[in-house]
């Protein structure tokens, strides 16, 4: 079952000025979720975390994150499956998806519809640069205003 944090899920994506942008992180490794949560909070985002890839589409539909960080290697419904589902759904297809993977998989990720790649292990500068590259200017301003 999906583990969503933080508990406050009233806001959805970049809405009114001053609200921080939500970023959905999908990874079956709890240590990666913990690192992502810390990095995103430090950069002014509101992380939504799940270790259940099969729930990612429904979470993205209901939470409307500004971006999604998606691990490639997960058991069963892997990151490629989740990416295909997200990009084929009209409610989620416009949400930028960044694949968490080895740099050698960058080409495959982009061909599959990802908007970018965040290399493992997650580092603050890489996560921040990748998000800034895919977020619209208004989203960045709203995120910064939420600090």
């Amino acid at each position: 079952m999906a583990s969503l944090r933080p508990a406050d899920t009233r806001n959805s994506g970049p809405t009114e000025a001053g609200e921080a942008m939500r970023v959905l992180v999908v990874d079956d490794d709890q240590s990666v979720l913990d690192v992502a949560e810390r990095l995103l909070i430090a950069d002014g985002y509101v992380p939504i975390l799940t270790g259940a890839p099969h729930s990612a589409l429904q979470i993205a539909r209901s939470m409307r994150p500004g971006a999604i960080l998606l691990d490639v290697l997960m058991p069963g419904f892997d990151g490629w499956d989740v990416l295909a589902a997200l990009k084929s759904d009209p409610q989620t297809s416009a949400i930028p998806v960044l694949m968490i993977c080895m740099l050698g998989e960058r080409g495959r990720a982009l061909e599959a519809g990802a908007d970018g790649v965040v290399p493992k292990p997650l580092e603050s500068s890489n996560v921040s640069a990748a998000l800034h590259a895919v977020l619209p200017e208004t989203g960045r301003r709203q995120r910064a205003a939420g600090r």
Side-chain angles (χ1 to χ4, degrees):
M1 186 144 151
S3 168
L4 297 178
R5 293 182 291 175
D8 180 5
T9 57
R10 290 170 289 169
N11 307 332
S12 58
T15 54
E16 299 163 25
E19 290 184 12
M21 181 174 289
R22 293 169 175 252
V23 177
L24 172 60
V25 183
V26 184
D27 199 307
D28 63 317
D29 184 338
Q30 185 61 49
S31 64
V32 173
L33 291 175
D34 292 342
V35 168
E37 179 179 41
R38 182 176 43 82
L39 295 177
L40 291 169
I41 289 171
D43 206 21
Y45 296 99
V46 175
I48 305 165
L49 310 171
T50 184
H54 59 278
S55 299
L57 182 61
Q58 184 58 40
I59 294 168
R61 283 179 182 157
S62 64
M63 303 295 289
R64 305 292 301 157
I68 299 171
L69 296 176
L70 176 61
D71 187 33
V72 168
L73 297 176
M74 295 181 284
F77 201 57
D78 68 14
W80 304 117
D81 297 326
V82 175
L83 177 63
L86 289 165
K87 291 303 181 179
S88 67
D89 187 299
Q91 293 183 47
T92 60
S93 62
I95 300 172
V97 178
L98 301 166
M99 300 300 285
I100 302 171
C101 60
M102 304 307 290
L103 283 179
E105 295 174 301
R106 183 179 194 281
R108 180 178 177 195
L110 296 175
E111 286 177 17
D115 297 277
V117 172
V118 178
K120 282 186 172 183
L122 294 182
E123 294 180 4
S124 178
S125 59
N126 292 335
V127 171
S128 182
L131 286 169
H132 283 249
V134 300
L135 294 176
E137 185 63 29
T138 56
R140 286 199 296 265
R141 278 198 302 269
Q142 287 173 341
R143 182 192 56 79
R147 283 190 177 174

